[in-house]
């Protein structure tokens, strides 16, 4: 369910009802106005809209006057119109609106919802523009900012690689090819040595009149290519397609590698993505088990047991963030942590975790529940499977020794 509001200015009651159905079904919160005057009164009170959807022709503004009013309030605009006119289209797009859609069919109007969903999803993305021309660079940044993308920029491929090292959260790169220091194709090839197409999407650009430039960019690892000069609509369509593909890939990755209940990594991710045998001289493994968890399920029910698992998982994430460790749910009430932290620091963090969970009161449906955990630890330079066996044996000793303790092999 989206938390965002959409301002719709439309004089047709039938079309308002249709848009109301579409927006509500998609989880947005529509706010309606029938005229420019009504829209003025609404935006005088509230401006926290994700976007506005405007009819070009209104009773008190036949020639798109509503567009200038809304843009003057720094709100994003999508224009709907029943008539197609190349002149109107060019005029409207030149004002800086997001898009221009026709009301000629349900299919055309249905494009509105994915467009709004893309604008919402873009808050999670950061784009880097790599372009040596200051004019083109600023134009690209302006187009991306209108799409709710966070942006940074570089003047050439060398500077872009340095920036990428400082901004690992970049998910999209738009790059020209012909640049000093390092061209776009060479930069793309170097980025692909570290990041695949699903991790960072790349759109190549070039004004070169050569049929070879497109395959060169794509073979270097670009997700897509666009010739310069380009129009705004085609640029946005390419960006939307690239980011839609990336978001879909991310969702599939999460479904395959994250535990659905707790959000922690699962066993598959732990063994596939955890640190390799040679990544550090010594590493730490902790096996964690919730004490007497079966009793929680039998006494309070499995819904309560799930709530306990979720709360314990939150504690694990807080004490061992992804930057310091890989935390996975191995199944049932069993968890595992892999970390390359200093051994003594790791054990100290585990003891703090154990104490905090012991003091934690989990309230589910007005029922307070107290739990404890047992932890088995193994540290060293052995292969992962050997450390896991040692940590599991240490966990068994912790349980045999009375539970609610950290036992180090």
């Amino acid at each position: 369910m989206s938390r965002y509001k959409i301002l719709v200015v439309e004089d047709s009651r039938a079309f308002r009802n249709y848009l109301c159905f579409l927006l509500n079904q998609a989880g947005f919160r529509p706010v309606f106005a029938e005229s420019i005057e009504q829209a003025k009164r609404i935006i005088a009170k509230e401006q926290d809209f994700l976007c506005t959807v405007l009819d070009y022709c209104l009773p008190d503004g036949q020639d798109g006057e509503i567009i200038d009013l809304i843009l003057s309030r720094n709100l994003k605009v999508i224009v709907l119109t029943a008539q197609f006119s190349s002149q109107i289209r060019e005029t409207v797009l030149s004002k800086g609106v997001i898009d221009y859609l026709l009301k000629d069919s349900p299919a055309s109007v249905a494009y509105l919802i994915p467009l709004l969903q893309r604008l919402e999803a873009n808050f999670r993305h950061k784009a880097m523009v790599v372009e040596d021309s200051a004019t083109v660079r600023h134009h690209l940044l302006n187009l991306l900012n209108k799409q709710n993308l966070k942006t940074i920029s570089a003047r050439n491929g060398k500077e872009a690689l340095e920036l990428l090292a400082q901004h690992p959260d970049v998910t999209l790169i738009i790059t020209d090819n012909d640049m000093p220091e390092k061209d776009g194709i060479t930069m793309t090839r170097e980025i692909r040595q570290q990041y695949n197409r699903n991790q960072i999407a790349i759109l190549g650009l070039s004004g070169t009149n050569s049929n070879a430039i497109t395959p060169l960019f794509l073979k270097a690892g670009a997700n897509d290519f666009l010739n310069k000069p380009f129009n705004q609509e085609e640029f946005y369509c390419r960006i939307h397609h690239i980011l839609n593909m990336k978001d879909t890939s991310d969702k599939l990755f999460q479904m395959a590698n994250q535990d659905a209940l707790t959000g922690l990594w699962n066993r598959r991710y732990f063994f596939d993505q955890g640190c390799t045998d040679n990544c550090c001289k010594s590493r730490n493994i902790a096996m964690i088990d919730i004490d007497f968890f079966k009793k929680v399920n039998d006494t309070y029910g499995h819904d309560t047991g799930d709530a306990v698992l979720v709360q314990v998982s939150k504690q694990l994430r807080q004490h061992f963030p992804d930057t310091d460790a890989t935390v996975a749910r191995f199944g049932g009430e069993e968890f595992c942590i892999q970390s390359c932290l200093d051994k003594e620091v790791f054990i100290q963090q585990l003891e703090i975790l154990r104490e905090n969970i012991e003091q934690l009161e989990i309230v589910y449906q007005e029922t307070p529940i107290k739990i404890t955990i047992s932890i088995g630890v193994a540290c060293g330079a052995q292969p992962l499977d050997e450390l896991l066996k040692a940590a599991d044996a240490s966990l068994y000793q912790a349980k045999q020794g009375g539970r609610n303790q950290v036992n180090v092999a």
Side-chain angles (χ1 to χ4, degrees), residues 253-261 263-266 269:
F253 180 83
Q254 290 175 354
M255 290 172 64
N257 293 283
Q258 283 186 320
D259 176 61
L261 175 65
L264 295 177
W265 297 117
N266 58 21
Y269 179 90

Side-chain angles (χ1 to χ4, degrees), residues 36-216:
I36 293 177
E37 285 304 313
Q38 283 190 8
K40 284 181 179 178
R41 291 195 291 271
I42 291 172
I43 60 179
K45 296 179 181 177
E46 48 187 325
Q47 292 205 356
D48 55 334
F49 297 104
L50 173 70
C51 189
T52 65
V53 179
L54 312 178
D55 186 10
Y56 183 82
C57 183
L58 294 167
D60 52 352
Q62 301 287 318
D63 297 314
E65 292 86 350
I66 183 65
I67 299 172
D68 293 321
L69 169 68
I70 299 300
L71 288 175
S72 70
R73 301 300 197 276
N74 294 318
L75 294 172
K76 293 177 174 61
V77 171
I78 297 171
V79 177
L80 291 175
T81 179
Q83 302 179 48
F84 177 79
S85 163
S86 296
Q87 183 179 355
I88 292 176
R89 172 184 166 277
E90 290 177 9
T91 301
V92 166
L93 292 176
S94 68
K95 292 177 183 291
V97 305
I98 297 295
D99 215 333
Y100 174 90
L101 306 179
L102 295 175
K103 300 179 185 177
D104 59 348
S105 71
S108 296
V109 179
Y111 182 75
L112 172 66
I113 299 303
L115 179 55
L116 292 172
Q117 290 171 333
R118 183 70 263 155
L119 290 174
E120 180 181 6
N122 283 351
F123 286 118
R124 301 193 297 268
H125 290 280
K126 179 187 282 189
M128 177 164 62
V129 172
V130 190
E131 169 64 63
D132 59 323
S133 166
T135 302
V136 178
R137 188 167 65 248
H138 293 153
H139 176 59
L140 289 168
L141 290 170
N142 183 49
L143 290 176
L144 294 173
N145 287 330
K146 288 178 181 176
Q147 292 281 323
N148 294 331
L149 289 157
K150 296 184 288 290
T151 57
I152 56 175
S153 64
R155 292 167 294 182
N156 55 64
K158 181 176 180 293
E159 186 178 308
L161 292 173
E162 293 170 355
L163 265 179
L164 186 59
Q166 300 168 24
H167 297 268
D169 55 338
V170 166
T171 54
L172 171 66
I173 296 175
I174 297 95
T175 179
D176 187 28
N177 183 48
D178 302 314
M179 298 179 292
E181 300 278 352
K182 193 184 292 289
D183 63 68
I185 291 175
T186 303
M187 181 200 74
T188 299
R189 194 176 291 117
E190 292 183 19
I191 290 174
R192 286 295 175 244
Q193 293 175 10
Q194 186 175 359
Y195 302 96
N196 63 40
R197 284 178 169 86
N198 295 328
Q199 292 172 306
I200 296 180
I202 300 176
L203 174 64
L205 303 174
S206 179
T208 304
N209 294 321
S210 169
N211 294 329
I213 195 71
T214 302
L216 283 173

